[in-house]
């Protein structure tokens, strides 16, 4: 019985070793097979431009394909783990969206170091495209895609900037590409006209558009960002206080008080901003790079714009578009090939040319300035002549810190309404602190 039991044990061990050897051989052969990965990569995004970009990539070569799947909030989908790895067709190989670079979400993406020329060449890269050159990107912007240990996890695609639009005929002399807060205030005060105890025209007010209130906090470098490990928000309270004081001083001094300003709003601001500008009722209206170039050319022809700045720093809008390869991706070579293709300068020239040829209602690269500085400085103005003389140097741009994937909801539901209350209250000290409002919001909408 003991002898037969030993034979049985040895037989099991031998069979196990044979199985492991066969498995290793099969794995080795599979690993050496260049076709072991799927050749179609799934791209999750809420940016419609990527459908056109994928189409051009697919037509540019025969090896790989990109299939675009629309997701309303890609960052939320990834952060909350809404990936079913048992259903391969649902697993994204690429994700493009805003707010991907916060602490929790970025952990769900893989390193992209092998795509750069300064790193070891990836042995699995089956494309003749050059590796990426870090120096072609805006450096601070590129660093926003790094994780806590300095690995490049995400690549920035594009970004938007805050601006003030105005009639070309209403201003003269100032040809700089930005307007500092003090200049906006001075020109607005000079433009104001009161008749019969009411404003007949008004230069500008931060209260006309709730987004302006938020942009003022960015101009003062309030630096909203994600708190470590909690997914909540932190900020520079002193800068926030200064921004609110500046807004209230504008209302009180430039626009002579909340009552007169509100009368003007109630009387005239039911008309669209472009009509108010054309009628000479206001001097400035808030816009963004994206929104300005979404205007029909015939409406835009009479307008000009300047970036909003403070101390010659222009705060880049929060919704920077990033792209990366999730940890769960299965079609990595296809995903990597698309990234190498997309971030070539020649490719982005072709994307701009194609958008113009197809008359797509989109601006620049994915509806913003490209993350490649040379594209903005040399190529985009060829297709959008209004940008000549308006391209800010890199050292004038202030890129936002990482923000939670739920940032859009926080800003809309809590921060902007709170800023409006603070700006409009007779006694702002009676308004609860922002931290209290956010705590209430967190309790009502706990993290999943």
């Amino acid at each position: 019985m003991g002898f037969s039991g030993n034979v049985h044990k040895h037989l099991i061990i031998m069979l196990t070793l044979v199985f492991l050897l066969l498995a290793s051989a099969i794995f080795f052969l599979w690993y050496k097979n260049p076709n072991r990965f799927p050749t179609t990569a799934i791209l999750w995004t809420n940016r419609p431009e990527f459908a056109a970009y994928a189409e051009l990539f697919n037509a540019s070569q025969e090896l790989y394909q990109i299939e675009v799947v629309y997701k309303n909030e890609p960052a939320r989908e990834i952060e909350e783990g809404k990936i079913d790895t048992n259903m391969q067709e649902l697993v994204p190989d690429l994700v493009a969206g805003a707010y991907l670079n916060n602490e929790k979400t970025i952990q769900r993406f893989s390193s992209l170091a092998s795509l750069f020329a300064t790193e070891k060449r990836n042995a699995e890269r089956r494309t003749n495209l050059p590796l990426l050159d870090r120096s072609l990107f805006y450096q601070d912007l590129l660093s926003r895609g790094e994780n806590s240990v300095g690995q490049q996890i995400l690549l920035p695609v594009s970004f938007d900037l805050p601006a003030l639009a105005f009639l070309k005929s209403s201003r003269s002399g100032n040809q700089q590409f930005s307007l500092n807060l003090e200049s906006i205030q001075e020109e607005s005060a000079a433009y104001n006209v009161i008749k019969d105890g009411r404003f007949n025209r008004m230069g500008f007010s931060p209260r006309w558009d709730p987004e302006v209130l938020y942009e003022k906090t960015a101009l003062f470098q309030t630096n909203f960002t994600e708190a470590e490990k909690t997914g909540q928000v932190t900020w520079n309270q002193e800068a926030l206080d200064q921004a609110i004081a500046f807004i209230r001083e504008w209302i009180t001094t430039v626009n002579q008080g909340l009552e007169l300003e509100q009368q003007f709003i109630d009387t005239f601001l039911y008309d669209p901003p472009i009509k108010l500008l054309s009628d000479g009722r206001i001097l400035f209206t808030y816009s963004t790079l994206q929104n300005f170039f979404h205007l029909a050319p015939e409406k835009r022809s009479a307008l000009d714009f300047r970036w909003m700045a403070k101390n010659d720093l222009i705060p880049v809008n929060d919704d920077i578009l990033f792209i990366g390869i999730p940890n769960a991706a299965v079609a990595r070579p296809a995903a990597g090939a698309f990234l190498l293709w997309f971030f070539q300068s020649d490719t982005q020239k072709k994307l701009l040319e194609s958008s113009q040829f197809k008359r797509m209602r989109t601006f620049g690269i994915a509806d913003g300035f490209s993350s490649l500085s040379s594209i903005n400085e040399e190529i985009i103005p060829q297709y959008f002549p209004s940008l000549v003389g308006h391209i800010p140097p890199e050292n004038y741009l202030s890129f936002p810190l990482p923000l939670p994937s739920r940032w859009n909801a926080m800003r809309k539901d809590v921060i902007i309404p709170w800023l409006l209350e603070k700006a409009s209250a007779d006694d702002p000290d009676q308004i609860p602190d922002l931290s209290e409002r956010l705590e209430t919001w967190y309790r009502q909408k706990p993290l999943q």
Side-chain angles (χ1 to χ4, degrees):
M1 187 71 177
F3 177 76
S4 63
N6 287 335
V7 170
H8 185 64
K9 280 185 181 178
H10 286 304
L11 184 60
I12 292 173
I13 291 170
M14 288 179 65
L15 288 171
T16 303
L17 287 172
V18 169
F19 174 79
L20 289 174
L21 286 170
L22 284 171
S24 297
I26 292 168
F27 177 79
F28 178 77
L29 291 171
W30 174 80
Y31 183 81
K32 298 301 287 183
N33 178 5
N35 295 315
R36 70 187 185 278
F37 294 110
T39 57
T40 297
I42 305 299
L43 168 60
W44 281 8
T45 188
N46 57 0
R47 302 297 183 100
E49 298 84 9
F50 274 94
Y53 299 162
E55 183 181 346
L56 287 172
F57 171 77
N58 294 344
S60 71
Q61 41 74 57
E62 298 180 351
L63 190 58
Y64 299 119
Q65 296 284 292
I66 299 295
E67 181 181 326
V68 178
V69 175
Y70 180 85
K71 294 289 180 179
N72 188 45
E73 293 184 279
R76 291 288 303 278
E77 298 261 359
I78 289 291
E79 182 183 308
E80 294 172 7
K82 294 180 179 178
I83 298 176
D84 186 351
T85 53
N86 295 318
M87 297 180 66
Q88 198 174 78
E89 70 276 12
L90 297 181
V91 177
D93 304 292
L94 286 163
V95 177
Y99 313 119
L100 296 179
N101 64 328
N102 62 71
E103 183 183 30
K104 186 175 180 181
T105 309
I106 203 170
Q107 293 176 12
R108 299 184 181 272
F109 288 84
S110 301
S111 171
L112 300 177
S114 61
L115 299 182
F116 287 90
T118 54
E119 306 291 343
K120 183 179 178 181
R121 183 176 292 271
N122 184 349
E124 293 304 318
R125 197 170 66 89
R126 298 176 58 213
T127 173
N128 294 322
L129 287 168
L131 294 171
L132 303 181
D133 183 348
R134 300 185 73 90
S135 68
L136 298 181
F137 291 80
Y138 290 93
Q139 295 304 292
D140 282 351
L141 178 57
L142 186 61
S143 72
R144 295 295 189 265
E146 295 177 356
N147 63 10
S148 57
V149 295
Q151 293 178 311
Q152 194 70 50
I153 306 296
L154 301 166
L155 293 176
V157 174
S158 61
F159 60 92
D160 202 359
L161 295 178
L164 289 180
F166 53 88
L167 282 181
K168 291 176 181 176
S169 58
S170 66
R171 299 178 68 249
S172 60
N174 188 335
Q175 297 303 314
Q176 294 188 1
F177 54 77
S178 66
L179 271 171
N180 277 297
L181 281 178
E182 294 74 18
S183 298
I184 302 168
Q185 203 173 38
E186 288 173 9
E187 290 192 43
S188 296
Y191 194 80
N192 286 353
V193 171
I194 292 180
K195 288 185 178 180
D196 301 324
R198 291 171 175 262
F199 275 101
N200 187 51
R201 70 181 196 185
M202 184 178 286
F204 186 70
S205 169
R207 292 201 312 132
W208 288 349
D209 188 326
E211 284 295 326
V212 176
L213 295 172
Y214 178 76
E215 290 299 342
K216 290 288 189 287
T217 70
L219 287 161
F220 277 84
Q221 295 187 300
T222 297
N223 291 336
F224 287 104
T225 189
E226 181 187 46
E228 289 186 18
K229 303 189 183 304
T230 66
Q232 297 185 358
V233 178
T234 186
W235 58 87
N236 181 329
Q237 185 62 46
E238 182 180 356
L240 180 59
D241 292 340
Q242 290 173 354
I244 292 167
F246 182 86
I247 292 166
R248 290 185 62 83
E249 187 269 339
W250 188 310
I251 296 165
T252 302
T253 306
V254 177
N255 293 343
Q256 301 189 30
L258 188 64
E259 183 178 351
L260 283 178
E261 185 181 273
Q262 190 61 46
Q263 284 177 350
F264 182 83
I265 292 171
D266 294 340
T267 304
F268 297 111
L269 262 64
Y270 55 83
D271 280 332
I274 302 301
K275 185 177 189 305
L276 293 169
L277 288 173
S278 300
D279 292 346
R281 193 68 66 189
I282 62 175
L283 179 60
F284 297 113
T285 186
Y286 173 73
S287 183
T288 63
L289 170 71
Q290 180 186 113
N291 290 339
F292 184 82
F293 284 99
H294 279 189
L295 290 172
E298 59 272 16
K299 290 185 178 180
R300 202 170 64 232
S301 62
L303 302 178
D304 201 350
F305 69 94
R306 297 291 183 272
W307 310 120
M308 291 173 64
K310 186 176 189 302
N311 300 326
D312 293 324
L313 270 183
I314 304 164
V316 174
N317 287 4
D318 294 336
D319 56 348
I320 294 172
L321 180 62
F322 287 97
I323 192 169
I325 301 176
N327 296 327
V330 291
R332 292 177 180 275
F338 177 79
L339 293 179
L340 288 174
W341 173 84
F342 184 83
F343 287 101
Q344 302 299 321
S345 296
D346 286 346
T347 295
Q348 297 210 354
K349 292 177 189 176
K350 291 175 184 175
L351 297 180
L352 286 163
E353 181 180 342
S354 175
S355 296
Q356 291 293 301
F357 178 75
K358 294 178 180 178
R359 296 188 178 182
M360 292 170 59
R361 195 175 177 184
T362 184
F363 167 79
I365 299 297
D367 236 1
F369 271 141
S370 172
S371 58
L372 306 179
S373 58
S374 63
I375 297 297
N376 300 330
E377 293 164 2
E378 301 168 16
I379 308 303
I380 288 182
Q382 295 178 23
Y383 296 97
F384 300 91
S386 306
L387 281 169
V388 174
H390 286 65
I391 308 296
E394 183 171 357
N395 62 329
Y396 279 69
L397 299 174
S398 175
F399 294 99
L401 299 171
L403 290 158
S405 61
R406 303 193 296 169
W407 179 244
N408 272 342
M410 291 182 191
R411 191 172 73 164
K412 178 183 175 183
D413 297 346
V414 183
I415 294 172
I416 289 178
W418 181 83
L419 288 170
L420 189 57
E421 281 189 62
K422 275 283 193 180
S424 305
D426 291 332
D427 184 358
D429 293 335
Q430 296 301 311
I431 306 298
D433 289 342
L434 178 58
S435 56
E436 292 182 40
R437 293 285 175 85
L438 281 169
E439 282 298 331
T440 301
W441 190 85
Y442 293 138
R443 287 194 297 271
Q444 293 171 346
K445 299 178 183 289
L447 287 169
Q448 303 297 317

